[in-house]
Structures are given as structure tokens and as C-alpha cells.
Amino acid sequence: DLTFEVLRMDNGAACGVSNTEFGPYVEFCCADVGETVQILLKATDENNNTNTCMVNVVVQDKNRPVINVPAYCYQ
């Protein structure tokens, strides 16, 4: 059995969070969109042997834009 944990290399500073320990996920925020965020991935096996690697994540906003036109624009 393998377990995986991740850690942001910038400690989450761009998002205003302090992330200094490995966990099951990392958080990304709007400030990360369009940026490359480096994370550290740690794999641990059943004998507690670990290995790490650095991964670059390119954060993209895949949500479609929404435009709300005020009613007075239709007059």
C-alpha cells in the first residue's frame, strides 16, 4: 500500500494560508490562476519508506465567464 501527500513549496503564501506540513491535498486560489505553483509530492510505502519529487502545477480557470447585463441596458 502506498500513501501520497503533498505540500506547496511556497507554503500557500499567495492564497493567504500557511501550509507548512504535508497533507492529502493542497489548496489553490484565484491568485494562483495563470501561475506555476511548485508542490512537493511524497509517497510512503507500507514499511514507512518515503520518496519525494517536486512537481510544477499550472493553475487554470476552466469556468466559463458569466456576463450579467443590467436591465437598463436594454432600453
Side-chain angles (χ1 to χ4, degrees):
D1 290 335
L2 286 176
T3 59
F4 297 97
E5 295 178 292
V6 290
L7 172 70
R8 281 183 70 134
M9 295 300 293
D10 66 358
N11 296 330
C15 296
V17 297
S18 178
N19 183 5
T20 58
E21 296 183 18
F22 281 97
Y25 63 91
V26 292
E27 294 198 25
F28 298 102
C29 64
C30 293
D32 292 323
V33 173
E35 300 294 327
T36 300
V37 179
Q38 197 168 55
I39 64 169
L40 189 61
L41 172 66
K42 179 170 76 170
T44 305
D45 69 11
E46 59 192 21
N47 295 315
N48 211 27
N49 297 310
T50 63
N51 199 357
T52 60
C53 68
M54 288 185 194
V55 179
N56 289 327
V57 176
V58 178
V59 181
Q60 299 178 347
D61 182 0
K62 300 285 186 165
N63 293 322
R64 298 181 77 151
V66 176
I67 300 174
N68 295 315
V69 180
Y72 63 82
C73 290
Y74 294 113
Q75 297 176 1

